Amino acid sequence: MINSDARREALLEAVQLAAGERLTDDTGDPADEAYNRAIDDVIAALTAAATGAAEAPTTVPCFLANPHHPHGAHDWAPQPGMTPVRCPGGPAGGVTVTACRYEVSLLPVDNINHAIYAIGVEHRGGDRWAVVRQRECLGADGTWSWEPIPSERGGEWLAAHCFDLDTALRLARAAAPHVTVNGRSAAQVASGL
């Protein structure tokens, strides 16, 4: 059995971790707003459990583990040792299929080197798309930089690295010939050099 001080400390640590998952940019996207409301609900449940509040919520969406994905109602424990709460389920409507990644490469799909020279164009919420390759994102200025975790992507970083789909695909197409692996560019591989 976990002693009460250790349990309280673990719950307060979970509150801090959950708070770090809040999206900080005001995108106006209803999915982002729902995500932040779910995070707030989780924080309230954890805080209530840590402080022994009598009014701990019994219904808390499980958005930390399953953001924006349709799923049925279920019980879950926001923190090990907590009394389980009820998740009302994700967005209604059954199964959702979403195109969330495009692959851009100078090499055809049946080329054995296609995958290692490919650039991804990945959905980042709302109408935002990022041009990615091996955990790096292509900026509007044409340079690649390490992609931070979502809670550390500030407005300036998002403005420089997330685009509408047409712009992201245009940038990926322009960058594709210059992808280099072991000193050989995609253009060299495609031309047989």
Side-chain angles (χ1 to χ4, degrees), residues 93-158:
V95 175
T96 301
V97 177
T98 305
C100 59
R101 179 180 165 88
Y102 292 87
E103 203 166 77
V104 178
S105 178
L106 191 61
L107 305 177
V109 175
D110 62 349
N111 184 299
I112 193 168
N113 293 307
H114 172 85
I116 61 172
Y117 283 93
I119 295 173
V121 175
E122 296 180 356
H123 189 241
R124 290 295 187 261
D127 65 346
R128 298 177 313 211
W129 294 79
V131 180
V132 298
R133 185 165 188 276
Q134 298 178 348
R135 293 280 300 141
E136 289 188 317
C137 278
L138 184 64
D141 63 358
T143 61
W144 293 92
S145 64
W146 187 258
E147 181 177 17
I149 61 173
S151 61
E152 293 179 6
R153 296 177 194 159
E156 187 176 316
W157 189 92
L158 288 170

Side-chain angles (χ1 to χ4, degrees), residues 35 38 59-76 85-96:
Y35 178 81
T59 302
V60 179
C62 66
F63 277 81
L64 283 177
N66 203 352
H68 314 301
H69 293 281
H71 61 285
H74 59 96
D75 292 330
W76 70 290
V85 293
R86 186 82 177 150
C87 172
V95 175
T96 301

Side-chain angles (χ1 to χ4, degrees), residues 9 12 14-15 17 29-30 43 50-51 55 57 63-64 87 95 106 121 144 149-150 158 169 178:
E9 190 175 310
L12 292 175
V15 167
L17 291 171
D29 183 350
I43 290 170
T51 60
E55 300 272 336
F63 277 81
L64 283 177
C87 172
V95 175
L106 191 61
V121 175
W144 293 92
I149 61 173
L158 288 170
L169 288 170
H178 307 289

